[in-house]
Amino acid sequence: MIPTITKKYQNVVISTGNIITTELGQRKSNEELYDGLKITLHSDPSVERVVVEKEIDELHGRVQRATQELTTRLTENGRNEISIGAKIFLNRHSTECVNQAVEALLNILSVTHVDNVVLAYHPNAVASATPVATTGGQPKSPCSEGIPASKASTWSLRNGEEGVSELKELYQTLEQYALKQQITQLGIADLDAAALEELHKGAQVAPTIAQVNLSTCCVVPAELQEFCTAHDIQLNTHSDPELLLPEEQFAALAPDYSIDWSLRYQVHVRCRGVLTAKGYIVGASRSSD
């Protein structure tokens, strides 16, 4: 069961710690998150394994794992010698959730700034996402189904003008951290060229990173490539699902709680490009009834 602390709080933050120190670190993101939360929230005394360092932060309503080990990884090199990047996964419109995610990231990592933050906003993912399996099984892409890339549903088509408007508000929240130099670069995930152009033209701090999921579009659309090239936006591919963890799976780990937001952070040593830390942080809330 989830630690007793959650009975006292409407909102909780859960940190998996550095999952590279476990066997979880090089798997699909949905599997990493599920199993990282399972290790953090549950313990089985009948299983013979190394004792997990778990920390209950009563003041802030947090459950954290292996905090000291994470601190060691973050401080064994100078701050200017490491690069810290994060990706926020959000499935509902809430600027408060964006604020909570960034504040938790800075606080748990004990840093004054991070090098980049990418926002993945999919308000309609719940209706279309396939539940995550923890025992393999690849979701089918449009390519495997014989659907041309041009026929695949774009972010704009799925979310409409309202979705673009919501995305702008969420991005503006991130911009405030960039303007305060708490985030160096901002990025966005899974937008088509039209949505990215709409976001870009109204931005105070233009996105410099764009991520595209090749499992949904097969080939990066030419118009997206052209827009990114023209505006000095680094175009990257990824394989993260739109919905990292279905509600029913999280409910099995933390009864009566729902995920509000989740994020993944990665810490690289700049000169060697070595990944030295990687983990997930989740914000969750109790149902009010």
Side-chain angles (χ1 to χ4, degrees):
M1 296 294 290
I2 191 169
T4 310
I5 182 176
T6 57
K7 296 180 180 179
K8 303 179 182 179
Y9 291 91
Q10 180 69 25
N11 301 286
V12 295
V13 172
I14 307 161
S15 170
T16 66
N18 182 14
I19 63 172
I20 290 180
T21 61
T22 71
E23 69 277 9
L24 309 179
Q26 299 297 325
R27 302 170 64 186
K28 298 175 189 175
S29 54
N30 47 6
E31 295 175 348
E32 289 178 344
L33 175 59
Y34 178 84
D35 290 334
L37 289 174
K38 188 174 181 180
I39 289 175
T40 303
L41 297 177
H42 292 242
S43 59
D44 184 354
S46 66
V47 177
E48 192 173 324
R49 64 182 181 188
V50 178
V51 176
V52 174
E53 177 194 344
K54 190 179 298 182
E55 178 181 312
I56 309 299
D57 183 341
E58 293 278 356
L59 180 61
H60 299 100
R62 290 181 183 151
V63 182
Q64 300 174 220
R65 189 190 74 82
T67 305
Q68 186 56 53
E69 194 277 336
L70 177 59
T71 300
T72 299
R73 290 288 174 263
L74 286 162
T75 57
E76 62 188 359
N77 295 284
R79 179 61 187 88
N80 64 333
E81 298 176 321
I82 61 174
S83 173
I84 303 174
K87 184 173 183 177
I88 297 173
F89 301 88
L90 195 60
N91 297 111
R92 67 183 180 90
H93 178 234
S94 171
T95 56
E96 182 182 0
C97 284
V98 175
N99 279 319
Q100 289 174 359
V102 177
E103 293 295 337
L105 174 67
L106 295 171
N107 190 285
I108 289 173
L109 268 57
S110 297
V111 294
T112 57
H113 76 282
V114 294
D115 296 275
N116 63 77
V117 172
V118 173
L119 174 64
Y121 178 54
H122 292 286
N124 293 310
V126 175
S128 60
T130 302
V132 175
T134 57
T135 56
Q138 291 279 359
K140 292 184 178 180
S141 72
C143 295
S144 65
E145 293 292 303
I147 302 173
S150 60
K151 299 295 185 182
S153 179
T154 66
W155 194 96
S156 293
L157 287 174
R158 290 179 56 195
N159 299 292
E161 291 184 5
E162 182 180 0
V164 173
S165 178
E166 292 174 350
L167 178 65
K168 286 182 176 180
E169 291 183 14
L170 299 172
Y171 187 83
Q172 286 167 3
T173 304
L174 283 179
E175 284 182 313
Q176 298 309 305
Y177 290 95
L179 293 170
K180 293 185 290 185
Q181 299 183 330
Q182 291 177 293
I183 301 174
T184 304
Q185 288 182 289
L186 296 180
I188 201 74
D190 303 326
L191 298 190
D192 53 274
L196 181 57
E197 181 177 0
E198 182 66 24
L199 177 70
H200 188 277
K201 70 182 182 182
Q204 292 186 74
V205 181
T208 57
I209 301 168
Q211 292 186 349
V212 60
N213 193 329
L214 289 184
S215 71
T216 59
C217 74
C218 308
V219 177
V220 178
E223 60 270 25
L224 181 60
Q225 288 182 322
E226 292 168 3
F227 184 85
C228 289
T229 299
H231 294 85
D232 296 322
I233 299 174
Q234 180 182 349
L235 188 58
N236 300 326
T237 59
H238 74 92
S239 58
D240 299 315
E242 294 182 0
L243 183 66
L244 274 190
L245 195 63
E247 284 294 335
E248 59 270 21
Q249 284 197 325
F250 186 69
L253 298 173
D256 302 321
Y257 279 82
S258 298
I259 290 182
D260 294 323
W261 53 266
S262 55
L263 70 82
R264 177 182 63 233
Y265 60 84
Q266 297 185 94
V267 182
H268 288 87
V269 180
R270 292 182 189 273
C271 63
R272 292 177 286 151
V274 175
L275 181 64
T276 186
K278 176 183 182 182
Y280 291 82
I281 305 173
V282 169
S285 58
R286 287 179 79 94
S287 54
S288 53
D289 44 272

